[in-house]
């Protein structure tokens, strides 16, 4: 069975720190940064590598700040070897 | 053979499965953090992108929080006077019947000052699509009571809660227009969870594609939060919406084509 691995990239300047993405992530990947962005919000960031690319966070983000990537692990490793 | 994959290897363009649609402009949304308007904008633009209708779509912006929608949606837009978006959309659609015409309105626009325009556009069976974002309050002007405010709900102009004896009952405009023969598809959705976002997108897809059939008006209500107006955090307001709004405004398709 192909294992999938995902990753999110948050557009930190677009993020308004509403935190809607935090509870919808079942893998607890997202947490709010202690730093502030240019608008003065604590932006969302990825804090571990458990992401499976389910896109839940990107679906609920009102500002469309999240881009999601996903790879099938076995295939990409095969290609790498 | 490597047994791990780095973040940089995953974040390649060919692995991208979801990003903000290019049909939204780069302008930062003027909405409060956590507001459902942003998600509703994105879903409409995603559907237009997927149906390849960018050049053939004309939107009509309302007065309210989404008055600046023409800044965010990268399609042809027209701004209407308060509540008059269905009348303006009627004119556009009648002059250019090949275009896809939609209005995007809030509850203060559609269900208060624009009730007459809305009901008559629906009753005439104008071949347009109306997206109605309902948050039960006048959001832009500071959280005053709207026709859709729930009984006993506190707002700036009903600080002790809406008393139905003196202030009347909330208006279920979506049920009202579903009874009219001119409407073809009427649905109520929300955008606060991933599952609801997916359902809302399906409803928006149907509402836009039914315009091709020339069978009448399609209407999609999106029940949304207004965390600033309700004086809550975005997460609290979504929870409050689930507990209070959905019992009065139940989600689902109200009128589907036979």
């Amino acid at each position: 069975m192909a294992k999938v691995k995902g990753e999110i990239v948050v557009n930190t300047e677009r993020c308004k720190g509403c935190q809607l993405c935090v509870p919808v992530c079942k893998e607890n990947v997202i947490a709010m940064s202690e730093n502030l962005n240019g608008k003065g919000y604590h932006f969302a960031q990825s804090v571990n590598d458990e992401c499976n690319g389910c896109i839940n966070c990107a679906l609920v983000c009102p500002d469309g700040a999240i881009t999601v990537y996903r790879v099938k692990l076995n295939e990409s490793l095969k290609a790498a070897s | 053979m490597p047994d791990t994959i780095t973040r940089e290897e995953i974040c390649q363009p060919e692995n991208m499965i979801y990003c903000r649609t290019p049909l939204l402009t780069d302008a930062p949304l003027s909405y409060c953090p956590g507001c459902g308007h942003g998600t509703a904008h994105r879903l409409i633009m995603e559907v237009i992108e997927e149906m390849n209708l960018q050049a053939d779509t004309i939107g009509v912006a309302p007065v309210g929080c989404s008055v600046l929608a023409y800044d965010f949606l990268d399609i042809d837009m027209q701004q209407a006077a308060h509540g008059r978006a269905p009348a303006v959309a009627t004119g556009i659609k009648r002059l250019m019947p090949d275009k896809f015409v939609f209005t995007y309105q809030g509850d203060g626009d559609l269900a208060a000052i624009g009730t007459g325009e809305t009901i008559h556009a629906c009753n005439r069976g104008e071949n347009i699509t109306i997206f109605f974002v309902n948050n039960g309050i006048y959001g832009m002007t500071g959280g005053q009571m709207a026709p859709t405010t729930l009984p006993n709900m506190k707002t700036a102009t009903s600080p002790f809660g809406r008393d139905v004896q003196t202030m009347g009952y909330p208006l279920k405009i979506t049920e009202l227009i579903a009874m009219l023969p001119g409407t073809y598809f009427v649905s109520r959705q929300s955008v606060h969870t991933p599952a609801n976002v997916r359902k809302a997108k399906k409803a928006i897809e149907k509402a836009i594609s039914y315009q091709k059939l020339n069978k009448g008006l399609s209407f999609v209500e999106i029940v949304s939060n207004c965390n600033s107006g309700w004086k809550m955090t975005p997460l609290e307001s979504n929870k409050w919406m689930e507990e209070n709004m959905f019992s009065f405004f139940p989600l689902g398709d109200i009128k589907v084509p036979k």
Side-chain angles (χ1 to χ4, degrees):
Chain A
M1 192 182 127
K3 245 179 105 179
V4 292
K5 183 131 182 51
E7 198 63 68
I8 60 164
V9 175
V10 181
N11 182 338
T12 53
E13 280 309 309
R14 196 164 264 288
C15 177
K16 289 182 188 158
C18 68
Q19 305 187 14
L20 293 188
C21 52
V22 176
V24 298
C25 181
K26 302 301 173 206
E27 309 290 338
N28 299 320
V29 172
I30 306 175
M32 306 317 284
S33 169
E34 288 183 4
N35 299 325
L36 301 171
N37 65 10
K39 293 195 187 86
Y41 295 117
H42 293 285
F43 53 86
Q45 61 180 6
S46 164
V47 290
N48 61 36
D49 56 359
E50 301 290 314
C51 179
N52 56 16
C54 71
I55 76 170
N56 276 358
C57 53
L59 285 178
V60 296
C61 177
D63 291 278
I66 303 176
T67 307
V68 186
Y69 298 86
R70 182 167 62 198
V71 288
K72 281 186 180 162
L73 214 48
N74 289 0
E75 278 177 16
S76 67
L77 290 184
K78 231 180 266 170
S81 62
Chain B
M1 181 175 156
D3 55 351
T4 55
I5 183 162
T6 64
R7 185 179 157 86
E8 286 69 32
E9 284 169 328
I10 299 174
C11 297
Q12 296 298 322
E14 66 269 21
N15 296 332
M16 191 176 73
I17 54 167
Y18 194 93
C19 79
R20 193 168 184 274
T21 168
L23 267 62
L24 287 168
T25 63
D26 286 336
L29 296 177
S30 58
Y31 307 118
C32 307
C35 175
H37 269 306
T39 315
H41 279 12
R42 182 164 46 82
L43 292 182
I44 294 168
M45 286 299 109
E46 279 176 10
V47 170
I48 290 173
E49 183 191 10
E50 284 161 18
M51 297 171 90
N52 203 15
L53 289 175
Q54 183 180 17
D56 295 319
T57 305
I58 301 172
V60 183
V63 171
C65 289
S66 45
V67 65
L68 296 174
Y70 50 78
D71 269 351
F72 313 134
L73 312 182
D74 199 4
I75 52 172
D76 291 334
M77 293 288 291
Q78 170 66 50
Q79 164 67 47
H82 201 182
R84 274 61 182 167
V88 173
T90 298
I92 295 173
K93 184 70 182 180
R94 287 189 178 194
L95 284 171
M96 289 181 270
D98 297 338
K99 301 285 183 189
F100 285 79
V101 181
F102 72 86
T103 74
Y104 183 98
Q105 300 175 266
D107 53 330
D109 189 79
L110 182 141
I113 192 165
T115 315
E117 276 76 7
T118 306
I119 288 182
H120 284 291
C122 294
N123 201 33
R124 290 194 303 269
E126 295 297 341
N127 196 27
I128 58 173
T129 302
I130 294 181
F131 298 114
F132 167 40
V133 179
N134 176 8
N135 54 20
I137 205 165
Y138 280 96
M140 186 183 75
T141 48
Q144 290 85 358
M145 189 179 76
T148 44
T149 299
L150 300 179
N152 301 318
M153 182 173 165
K154 287 181 184 170
T155 68
T157 45
S158 59
F160 306 108
R162 181 177 189 158
D163 176 11
V164 293
Q165 295 295 324
T166 55
M167 301 168 194
Y169 293 91
L171 181 60
K172 288 189 176 184
I173 187 112
T174 308
E175 272 85 353
L176 206 66
I177 63 112
M179 290 191 293
L180 302 173
T183 51
Y184 189 62
F185 172 70
V186 180
S187 180
R188 182 184 284 125
Q189 304 292 337
S190 83
V191 291
H192 69 298
T193 66
N196 287 100
V197 169
R198 288 189 167 96
K199 283 184 203 162
K201 189 171 171 185
K202 288 214 175 89
I204 291 170
E205 264 170 25
K206 283 185 195 165
I208 293 183
S209 61
Y210 286 153
Q211 243 188 69
K212 282 182 197 155
L213 305 176
N214 285 323
K215 287 277 180 70
L217 190 140
S218 302
F219 190 101
V220 179
E221 171 179 351
I222 294 168
V223 183
S224 173
N225 60 352
C226 178
N227 44 68
S228 299
W230 298 352
K231 314 272 186 281
M232 296 175 196
T233 66
L235 289 170
E236 281 169 8
S237 67
N238 277 347
K239 193 160 168 281
W240 190 91
M241 179 171 72
E242 275 181 1
E243 290 166 356
N244 298 283
M245 295 279 278
F246 292 167
S247 54
F248 196 83
F249 298 111
L251 302 183
D253 290 342
I254 296 166
K255 185 176 186 179
V256 289
K258 289 183 186 112

